[in-house]
Amino acid sequence: MAFVQQSSPHAHSARPTSRVMLWVMIAALPGLFAQTLFFGWGNLINVLFCIGVAIASEAALLRLRKKPIGFFLRDNTAAVTGLLLGLSLPQFAPWWVSAVAVVSAIVVAKQLYGGLGSNPFNPAMVGYALVLVSFPVAMTTNWAAPAMLWEGAPGFGETLATIASGQQTAVDGWTMATPLDEYKHKIASHTATEVLTHPTFGDGIARGWEWVNAAFLAGGLLLIFLRIISWHIPAGFLGGLVLMSLAFGNDADLYAPLSLHVLAGGTMLGAFFIATDPVSAATSHQGKLIYGAGIGILIYLIRTWGNYPDAVAFSVLLMNFAVPFIDHYTPPRTYGHHKPRRGVPGSQG
Amino acid sequence: MTQLWDFAGGIHPPGHKDISTARPIRRSGIPERLILPLQQHIGDPAEPIVEVGERVLKGQKVADIQTGMGVPVHAPTSGIIESIAEHPVPHPSGMADWCITLKPDGEDQWCSRHPLSDFRALGRDRVLEIIRDAGIAGMGGAGFPTSIKLRPPRDRKINTLILNGAECEPYITADDMTMREKAGEIVAGLKVMAWILRPERCVIGIEDNKPEAIAALRRATEGTQTEIAVVPTKYPSGGEKQLIQILTGMEVPSGGIPADIGVMCQNIGTAVAVSQAVFQGTPLIARVVTITGDAIDEPGNFEALIGTPIEYLLEQAGVQQDRLSRLVLGGPMMGYTLTTEAVPVIKTTNCIIAATAAELPAPPPEQPCIRCGLCAEVCPMELLPQQLFWHSKATEFEKAEHLNLFDCIECGACSYVCPSSIPLVQYYRFAKDEIRVQRAEQLKSDRARERFEARQARLEREQEEKELRRRERAKAAAEAQAKKKAEAEKAAADGEAVDERSAKSALVEQALARKKAKAEAAQSPAPAKAAEEQPDIEDLEKQLSNAMSKLETMQGMLEEAKAQQADNVEKLERAVAKNHDRVKRAEEALAEARGKPADRPAESQSTH
């Protein structure tokens, strides 16, 4: 009788990559729900479209690379990339902007580097940065004005038609500058009180955005609870951002206040869903903290002194560059050793 | 309450322990044949001390260790030695090894035993000897000979003696059931070991999923100093290094042993064996084995004789052959699969899982690593499993070693949680093996180089010495030749007797040269040795050089005679030819003596 021959361990937990990715998508749903509630159907349409394009381009590239298509599509990673782009892009971004972002994310940033697990850069952020640099008009003038779904925001059909029309700018009345954009450009010539009268801020901190961020925070905490992500990257990310804001941005008449940094823009989506992409992040706990903090600090620097109102994509990509360096110098101390063995073989320490 | 520490990482796989704890320990009885491997643990194999066909008694030593690290093997029952041959043994490789096969006679007749009631009356060395003679090796893992372990280096005082009852691997309940049923013997064995080691602290560490075992040991240790430490269930809390960390907060230094920090771990089964050896005079001839898995009808624990074929135990527990897909020896985390049921129970066999395909399914195909880091989170040694994986896969062993590959205990926690179902431990084993092979080859090539260099140096030195001697000889020969030439010229005028006379004078010359060379050899001590080694070559060289000088003389004479158109030209020509042949013969003889083709230096050619 021939018994199964296998190397130990013989038991395995049942949480494959596909399930992990599914949980990431589920955890993003509250955020998507809040986006739809406050900014209309744009994000939902983008999400569905981006996921479709992502899966199609992944399948096409797998075919070109002669890889088993079904085996790799089932890991759900392409869908997650599509989802993240759909959540990040402006609500009324023309379809081709989204398509360019997704295709460059999947084809260039992921598959050309060798597919899942081999990409040094966060694919979604490569796509996002590419379209942000290439199509600045489409990427800044298509943010939906905050309006509750039932308060006269454009309907599903209208939104779909606008996105599908492919025009660089959407209907004027439906769009509005984002809170971070508004604050950044007005604060040079106005006081904080004057700036905050703009309807984009609403009555609270940043109308709609605060809820969207709160929802992504909730989804992110769920991921930590399920041990799908570790707390280190979000903690470093938010810690870096908060510390920078406290250190430099205490004067609201000069710089955006802390509340806006944390609850407007893509902060929570970035901290829990984007920066935590394990493939392009640092590996050890210490490394993850440094990596996250680097992103948080860079976001503050770019938002405050750079040209862009939000900066998750650039910050994540810049820290992706630093990952091998961080990894070299942050290995954990192994059991039974006095100190961690830093650096490369043959080096000191 | 004993203070506890936590260890890094760890996992909580389903226990599956209640499958095999429902029934008390059963005696499996005497099978038709017992197979006793000569090597049942790390170290050296024992040597058989019985003959085929010999009758042995139960408990009689059948193999002993003469030199090196090991323990003797005993007959588990009385019977006839049937063979001493290769037989499949429990080993991950699935290979066969030397085993003594015993055919039981059914009488189960004991040899004489010497139980001790007061072991304290004997010296510690004597008690250690009893433990060694009882064939006791660690019954938990690698099977380190217990008597050697109980004698730590002189400068390592054992402060804490730990009895490892954690049994953290799923399925296995051998220690659990032993603790429930033999708590008294465990405590007695611990007492003996504590007396030998004199530690300040004795702790029995048990996972909190064994309440009955904890209660039994609490009762057995009542009124003693022995602590019962109930540790939280988390795999691999029973790993030696992890249990030490939990119970003492200390870490075993990398590459060191627990004794380095004053700690020693012993297994539950080992304590029982020590107790039986000392108090009953019984060698280690049986052990408790868990037979479990979904393909077993009546899973449970068996007290099986060492050497019992696993086949026999599976039958006793009611195996469903048609459902059995994987036979694991050990636990599902660190055990290995067996290729055959014919292998015997050995001293380290704690569990056999007869698993169905649904129970331990084949892992799904390996997916790419997404660097999720779950592996690093569960690693009890705080390694970076994914980096080790990348480097192992890319055969960048230096980098893997730099990241402490050799601290990996192969517990399998990383593979267990890997969402991409990568067989990580297999990669680490591969890398470790490759590095070991490389190291062995490096050592071998270093030695070969040293040997080669030493040989080169010796050859050069010999060559130089030889050259020096040769030059001196050549000088002497040239002088002799000049003298002889003068004589020969004189003789040439006489004509007739040239040949004989010159031959005579050549002989005299030869003797003179020989004497001179000998004197030289005696004066210089260094070459003397070389001369001693190759006396033949020396002689032959002398003969050759003499023959050559004679040939030269003859040629000179011949030319002169030709120029003068003398009558003896024909005679001289014959003499030259004869001498030529002699030179050639001498050359050949010399070449043969040197053991290389005849490529004599230029001097011989110049004479042609």
Side-chain angles (χ1 to χ4, degrees):
Chain A
M1 169 151 199
F3 300 121
V4 172
Q5 294 300 301
Q6 196 95 50
S7 179
S8 70
H10 307 280
H12 297 275
S13 75
R15 195 161 76 180
T17 303
S18 57
R19 188 99 45 94
V20 169
M21 294 298 154
L22 205 61
W23 273 112
V24 171
M25 290 198 272
I26 291 167
L29 289 182
L32 178 60
F33 179 73
Q35 284 180 326
T36 310
L37 207 60
F38 286 95
F39 298 99
W41 298 102
N43 285 111
L44 184 62
I45 294 168
N46 280 349
V47 162
L48 294 175
F49 176 67
C50 289
I51 289 179
V53 175
I55 290 175
S57 28
E58 176 108 329
L61 259 288
L62 287 171
R63 200 185 148 85
L64 264 178
R65 294 179 59 212
K66 298 187 174 66
K67 299 274 175 188
I69 296 172
F71 177 73
F72 281 106
L73 279 188
R74 271 198 293 276
D75 64 29
N76 291 335
T77 50
V80 166
T81 303
L83 170 82
L84 293 178
L85 275 168
L87 295 172
S88 322
L89 291 165
Q91 287 81 3
F92 293 109
W95 67 269
W96 49 267
V97 170
S98 304
V100 168
V102 175
V103 169
S104 46
I106 297 291
V107 174
V108 179
K110 186 179 175 186
Q111 291 293 339
L112 289 191
Y113 277 98
L116 178 62
S118 302
N119 48 303
F121 303 105
N122 185 318
M125 290 304 102
V126 169
Y128 190 91
L130 184 93
V131 290
L132 183 58
V133 172
S134 311
F135 315 114
V137 177
M139 288 295 286
T140 45
T141 60
N142 286 315
W143 294 96
M148 301 301 275
L149 207 50
W150 54 90
E151 281 179 351
F156 185 83
E158 290 167 296
T159 311
L160 185 60
T162 309
I163 292 170
S165 74
Q167 296 298 310
Q168 277 261 21
T169 49
V171 179
D172 215 18
W174 297 349
T175 60
M176 193 179 274
T178 63
L180 284 172
D181 198 7
E182 185 66 18
Y183 208 99
K184 184 183 177 73
H185 291 107
K186 291 285 165 63
I187 199 65
S189 50
H190 298 75
T191 65
T193 333
E194 283 169 331
V195 173
L196 289 173
T197 55
H198 191 274
T200 195
F201 298 101
D203 300 327
I205 297 159
R207 190 162 186 227
W209 289 96
E210 59 212 9
W211 289 106
V212 169
N213 273 293
F216 280 125
L217 170 64
L221 293 177
L222 174 69
L223 290 182
I224 291 177
F225 175 74
L226 291 173
R227 295 187 71 175
I228 283 172
I229 59 172
S230 72
W231 57 270
H232 301 83
I233 291 177
F237 184 118
L238 296 175
L241 184 60
V242 168
L243 282 179
M244 286 297 283
S245 187
L246 289 176
F248 298 100
N250 47 13
D251 186 354
D253 287 328
L254 285 173
Y255 305 113
L258 173 63
S259 55
L260 214 53
H261 273 298
V262 175
L263 289 175
T267 305
M268 293 300 171
L269 177 64
F272 289 94
F273 290 85
I274 291 170
T276 51
D277 163 39
V279 176
S280 53
T283 48
S284 68
H285 290 165
Q286 196 192 352
K288 281 176 180 169
L289 276 172
I290 294 170
Y291 171 78
I295 296 173
I297 290 165
L298 280 171
I299 287 179
Y300 187 84
L301 293 176
I302 298 174
R303 278 182 184 174
T304 308
W305 292 291
N307 278 331
Y308 291 91
D310 206 348
V312 174
F314 293 122
S315 308
V316 168
L317 292 177
L318 283 169
M319 288 313 289
N320 286 164
F321 276 109
V323 161
F325 178 74
I326 296 173
D327 278 349
H328 267 316
Y329 289 98
T330 57
R333 182 192 67 89
T334 302
Y335 177 108
H337 289 255
H338 287 297
K339 53 182 185 178
R341 292 175 88 172
R342 298 202 164 86
V344 290
S347 69
Q348 295 293 311
Chain B
M1 204 50 204
T2 309
Q3 191 192 348
L4 298 181
W5 284 262
D6 192 14
F7 67 90
I11 54 172
H12 297 90
H16 299 292
K17 287 185 185 260
D18 43 358
I19 306 175
S20 52
T21 53
R23 295 174 182 84
I25 299 174
R26 286 168 275 176
R27 280 178 184 274
S28 68
I30 304 169
E32 227 169 89
R33 262 176 196 78
L34 289 165
I35 295 124
L36 306 165
L38 294 173
Q39 179 164 30
Q40 308 189 13
H41 46 74
I42 55 170
D44 303 297
E47 299 276 335
I49 52 171
V50 287
E51 301 287 325
V52 174
E54 194 178 327
R55 179 162 191 270
V56 292
L57 296 175
K58 181 175 188 173
Q60 185 185 329
K61 225 182 254 183
V62 292
D64 204 353
I65 187 93
Q66 309 301 339
T67 53
M69 193 182 77
V71 290
V73 180
H74 301 80
T77 184
S78 58
I80 307 289
I81 303 294
E82 199 174 58
S83 70
I84 302 174
E86 291 207 336
H87 188 277
V89 290
H91 191 271
S93 67
M95 290 193 311
D97 199 3
W98 288 95
C99 300
I100 297 176
T101 304
L102 174 69
K103 185 159 171 50
D105 55 14
E107 285 170 33
D108 211 24
Q109 186 187 349
W110 271 103
C111 65
S112 67
R113 286 178 284 171
H114 309 285
L116 289 174
S117 49
D118 185 16
F119 62 89
R120 287 184 180 86
L122 299 172
R124 286 183 171 76
D125 286 342
R126 181 71 196 105
V127 174
L128 282 169
E129 211 173 293
I130 290 170
I131 291 172
R132 193 205 85 99
D133 274 344
I136 301 174
M139 289 164 79
F144 195 86
T146 302
S147 61
I148 299 176
K149 192 171 177 178
L150 283 173
R151 207 197 296 259
R154 219 170 271 281
D155 56 333
R156 299 279 188 266
K157 166 88 180 83
I158 300 299
N159 299 314
T160 309
L161 174 61
I162 296 173
L163 215 48
N164 187 346
E167 201 167 47
C168 58
E169 272 238 37
Y171 285 96
I172 312 177
T173 57
D175 286 352
D176 186 1
M177 295 308 290
T178 307
M179 287 188 280
R180 291 187 202 188
E181 297 186 17
K182 298 181 181 181
E185 281 185 273
I186 293 168
V187 175
L190 179 62
K191 213 179 277 172
V192 174
M193 292 194 275
W195 175 74
I196 293 167
L197 295 166
R198 281 173 282 194
E200 287 151 27
R201 204 182 150 206
C202 278
V203 202
I204 306 178
I206 315 174
E207 268 193 353
D208 59 11
N209 59 0
K210 303 174 187 61
E212 291 94 336
I214 294 165
L217 278 172
R218 283 235 163 94
R219 277 195 301 277
T221 54
E222 221 156 50
T224 69
Q225 299 262 299
T226 305
E227 298 167 46
I228 306 291
V230 180
V231 306
T233 298
K234 180 167 88 165
Y235 179 84
S237 67
E240 185 176 65
K241 291 177 173 174
Q242 278 64 43
L243 191 62
I244 288 171
Q245 195 175 16
I246 293 172
L247 297 180
T248 68
M250 292 188 288
E251 294 180 9
V252 182
S254 175
I257 57 168
D260 295 343
I261 51 168
V263 182
M264 182 179 294
C265 271
Q266 290 287 356
N267 177 268
I268 292 290
T270 313
V272 174
V274 168
S275 159
Q276 288 175 349
V278 173
F279 298 108
Q280 297 169 22
T282 316
L284 178 50
I285 53 168
R287 68 155 298 146
V288 178
V289 188
T290 308
I291 308 289
T292 184
D294 283 355
I296 299 288
D297 284 334
E298 289 178 14
N301 283 277
F302 288 87
E303 190 170 325
L305 297 179
I306 303 295
T308 304
I310 281 163
E311 202 171 4
Y312 175 80
L313 288 177
L314 291 175
E315 266 164 36
Q316 294 229 321
V319 68
Q320 301 167 23
Q321 287 289 355
D322 51 329
R323 293 183 66 207
L324 175 57
S325 98
R326 193 186 306 201
L327 204 52
V328 178
L329 198 141
M333 298 303 296
M334 292 184 76
Y336 51 87
T337 46
L338 293 176
T339 49
T340 163
E341 298 162 309
V343 301
V345 166
I346 59 169
K347 290 171 184 175
T348 54
T349 308
N350 53 4
C351 181
I352 293 144
I353 307 172
T356 61
E359 190 178 10
L360 295 179
E366 180 181 334
Q367 284 173 291
C369 170
I370 55 166
R371 292 168 41 102
C372 67
L374 269 182
C375 47
E377 253 155 64
V378 300
C379 179
M381 297 302 287
E382 287 172 272
L383 297 162
L384 285 173
Q386 59 177 0
Q387 251 82 338
L388 291 175
F389 157 66
W390 287 116
H391 296 323
S392 302
K393 194 173 183 180
T395 65
E396 295 171 328
F397 300 130
E398 200 186 340
K399 288 182 183 171
E401 241 187 302
H402 183 75
L403 290 173
N404 304 322
L405 172 68
F406 280 93
D407 284 299
C408 172
I409 57 169
E410 300 181 16
C411 70
C414 51
S415 307
Y416 180 82
V417 297
C418 181
S420 297
S421 43
I422 301 169
L424 292 161
V425 179
Q426 208 173 326
Y427 279 101
Y428 309 148
R429 288 200 189 110
F430 158 73
K432 283 181 184 175
D433 283 352
E434 288 291 307
I435 293 170
R436 286 195 193 108
V437 169
Q438 277 180 11
R439 276 183 192 160
E441 272 169 10
Q442 184 64 41
L443 197 69
K444 218 165 103 183
S445 73
D446 281 352
R447 283 198 186 134
R449 204 187 52 240
E450 274 166 31
R451 263 202 311 272
F452 175 76
E453 280 169 3
R455 181 175 180 272
Q456 279 304 101
R458 179 174 58 81
L459 287 181
E460 264 167 42
R461 200 181 57 235
E462 283 177 5
Q463 192 60 42
E464 270 167 30
E465 284 163 4
K466 206 177 281 173
E467 183 67 17
L468 194 74
R469 283 199 305 277
R470 192 194 63 74
R471 245 184 266 133
E472 274 166 13
R473 272 199 311 277
K475 209 169 115 196
E479 276 168 16
Q481 193 188 329
K483 220 159 96 188
K484 210 165 64 185
K485 199 171 178 181
E487 278 171 25
E489 268 166 23
K490 223 158 105 194
D494 299 351
E496 292 295 323
V498 163
D499 205 21
E500 288 91 339
R501 220 187 291 166
S502 72
K504 239 181 229 165
S505 68
L507 276 173
V508 172
E509 283 300 336
Q510 222 165 306
L512 276 174
R514 221 166 18 229
K515 205 171 164 192
K516 202 170 176 188
K518 250 183 208 158
E520 273 165 12
Q523 270 163 13
S524 50
K529 202 177 149 205
E532 246 170 53
E533 280 172 14
Q534 303 165 315
D536 289 351
I537 294 181
E538 282 257 17
D539 263 354
L540 287 167
E541 267 171 358
K542 260 178 242 159
Q543 279 173 20
L544 179 64
S545 97
N546 286 330
M548 274 177 336
S549 60
K550 191 169 173 195
L551 177 65
E552 225 162 65
T553 315
M554 286 295 182
Q555 275 171 333
M557 279 163 64
L558 176 63
E559 259 155 42
E560 246 176 60
K562 269 183 186 165
Q564 291 168 8
Q565 302 208 330
D567 308 337
N568 57 353
V569 168
E570 210 182 292
K571 222 173 183 176
L572 277 170
E573 260 171 358
R574 266 206 309 273
V576 165
K578 216 163 81 188
N579 275 303
H580 203 278
D581 281 343
R582 254 172 73 187
V583 169
K584 223 175 182 171
R585 270 202 302 281
E587 269 177 47
E588 270 164 18
L590 185 61
E592 213 174 282
R594 281 191 177 132
K596 55 183 181 185
D599 55 348
R600 258 316 270 168
E603 58 189 302
S604 70
Q605 277 144 25
S606 69
T607 57
H608 291 234

